[in-house]
Amino acid sequence: MTRTRRIASLSIAAASAVALLLSAPSAATAAPGALSPSSITVAPAATQAAFTRAPAPTISGTAVAGNVLTVTAGSWQPAPSRLDIQWRVDGNPVDGATGTEWEVPTGVAGRSVSVSVSASRAGYQTKTTTSAARAVSWSLGSVMTPGTILRPGVKLTSPDGRYAFGILGDGNVALTRGTALVRTAKTTLVLDGRLSFTKDGELLLLNQYDVALWSSGTGGLGATGAVLGNDGVLRLVDGNSDDVWTSAKMAAQPDATAAAASVPGRFGWAYPLRPSGTFTTYAGHSGDDISASTGTPIYAMRGGTVSVRELWITSGCPSWAPNTTKQKEVVVTSTVDGRRLEQVYAHLSAFSVKTGQSVTAGQRIGSVGSTGCSTGPHLHTAFTVDGVRFELYPRDVLGGSSY
């Protein structure tokens, strides 16, 4: 009832307002000096000029974590009364980074840096220009201090550049020389891991759930720095520069599924095609593709047990793609550092192995073709780790989209 009475009262008020409008004097009968709607004029908005010269800013300095970068705004015409600066990482603004100088944080290693300048002046449109992006080195140099976190790809590098230490694209914490494994924590296939040099002096590998999977075991022993030398040894040192731990305590050999040093490949993974290849993929794609001529030899990237199969592709094939033959594929199943890995090699024209056969990394398993849902000869490669797809791609384990 209360709601009904309120609506009624609102209606009466509206009616009263209409009556007042109808009773208001028209322009013809308005009192002398009163303004009619038609006699009101609105001043046009003031037109703002544009800067005649608005250069993109430039960045000086070496783009390495820990270094200071400087922005130069350039010569604007006319001269702005105010310049606002905003540093960016991967195109996104960095909170508080609004000065002419900016020290690159360790977390920016391997990313891109740019800077925007916004110019303003009375009577002029505010104008913003952005510098070209600068790639920040993946290397943090040869030394890191407690509190540093390394994500996959970020690394320490010896002064002579021969050795590196960090998390590889396959999740393995390793010391490498070039693309060869020197020491390994045997953490291959850890997904979304990060390596933390904790405040209490411990190297700690954490997975995406913050579960510790590997440790240097040096918590509380007073390590104040990690140093990678030209001798290929990583040392955790205390305030007196004495060793608390060295990489000599890590395993000297990868697991048995890894490629031998004589096999073309990187970081224990064999190249699937030789001597080179370029991976391509697209959103929702389960793996990487490499274009190659029909009959090109295909090699197992990691050792394991083979399953050979031919099957019709009954779903997921676009209408424009030919799908007139059974797809030939080889699956190699491995246990790598305690984790199950399934490697799929698809669209083959021929097999070089049989179901149940054991193969080593770098052994030929078949030939490139275009069987199944395919628009042309190529190799499709895909990984499943402990039953999880779409998390690790062949390009990740080889450290890039081409080799």
Side-chain angles (χ1 to χ4, degrees):
M1 293 299 293
T2 302
R3 179 179 175 86
T4 303
R5 285 197 298 271
R6 184 180 180 187
I7 293 174
S9 64
L10 288 173
S11 299
I12 292 170
S16 299
V18 172
L20 288 171
L21 287 172
L22 292 175
S23 63
S26 66
T29 61
L35 293 177
S36 67
S38 61
S39 67
I40 298 174
T41 58
V42 178
T47 302
Q48 291 187 312
F51 286 98
T52 57
R53 178 176 172 79
T58 58
I59 299 174
S60 58
T62 304
V64 175
N67 279 13
V68 174
L69 300 180
T70 303
V71 59
T72 301
S75 178
W76 290 67
Q77 294 294 334
S81 58
R82 178 187 175 97
L83 282 175
D84 292 311
I85 295 169
Q86 178 62 68
W87 291 90
R88 299 176 179 274
V89 174
D90 292 342
N92 302 310
V94 179
D95 289 344
T98 56
T100 56
E101 294 185 338
W102 180 57
E103 183 175 329
V104 182
T106 57
V108 179
R111 303 189 187 280
S112 66
V113 169
S114 59
V115 63
S116 297
V117 171
S118 296
S120 55
R121 177 187 173 101
Y124 283 77
Q125 301 171 7
T126 298
K127 176 71 173 177
T128 300
T129 60
T130 302
S131 71
R134 292 276 300 276
V136 180
S137 172
W138 287 93
S139 175
L140 301 182
S142 60
V143 179
M144 68 176 174
T145 56
T148 303
I149 296 177
L150 306 183
R151 67 184 193 282
V154 180
K155 58 193 175 183
L156 291 181
T157 307
S158 61
D160 61 8
R162 293 187 303 160
Y163 295 94
F165 176 83
I167 309 179
L168 301 178
D170 61 5
N172 195 14
V173 176
L175 178 67
T176 58
R177 179 173 180 175
T179 59
L181 295 172
V182 177
R183 296 282 177 174
T184 169
K186 289 188 172 292
T187 58
T188 309
L189 305 184
V190 170
L191 303 177
D192 297 325
R194 66 187 188 280
L195 185 64
S196 174
F197 189 18
T198 64
K199 293 292 187 178
D200 64 351
E202 184 175 27
L203 289 175
L204 200 62
L205 176 66
L206 304 171
N207 67 7
Q208 66 266 48
Y209 306 110
D210 287 337
V211 176
L213 301 179
W214 175 81
S215 168
S216 62
T218 54
L221 297 183
T224 58
V227 182
L228 180 57
N230 289 338
D231 58 357
V233 177
L234 178 72
R235 294 176 170 85
L236 301 187
V237 297
D238 62 18
N240 296 318
S241 297
D242 293 329
D243 291 351
V244 171
W245 176 93
T246 76
S247 55
K249 295 184 178 181
M250 300 172 69
Q253 298 293 331
D255 79 315
T257 69
S262 59
V263 174
R266 296 177 182 171
F267 311 121
W269 297 84
Y271 294 147
L273 301 181
R274 298 175 187 168
S276 61
T278 298
F279 295 112
T280 60
T281 193
Y282 51 86
H285 195 208
S286 63
D288 286 325
D289 294 338
I290 307 178
S291 295
S293 301
T294 298
T296 301
I298 300 170
Y299 305 94
M301 296 184 70
R302 208 81 182 198
T305 303
V306 167
S307 176
V308 170
R309 59 194 187 194
E310 296 184 64
L311 66 162
W312 288 105
I313 303 302
T314 58
S315 64
C317 185
S319 59
W320 44 263
N323 187 19
T324 58
T325 61
K326 287 185 177 181
Q327 179 167 290
K328 289 183 170 68
E329 58 186 45
V330 171
V331 179
V332 180
T333 302
S334 316
T335 299
V336 182
D337 289 341
R339 297 167 185 84
R340 180 182 174 87
L341 172 68
E342 293 182 3
Q343 313 159 59
V344 175
Y345 303 85
H347 306 299
L348 279 60
S349 61
F351 300 119
S352 301
V353 289
K354 297 179 180 180
T355 295
Q357 181 178 339
S358 294
V359 296
T360 58
Q363 183 173 335
R364 182 172 181 172
I365 57 175
S367 303
V368 170
S370 187
T371 57
C373 178
S374 173
T375 58
H378 71 285
L379 171 64
H380 171 86
T381 54
F383 293 158
T384 300
V385 179
D386 285 340
V388 178
R389 301 174 64 199
F390 305 105
E391 288 288 342
L392 186 70
Y393 285 73
R395 66 176 62 205
D396 298 328
V397 304
L398 291 180
S401 59
S402 61
Y403 61 86

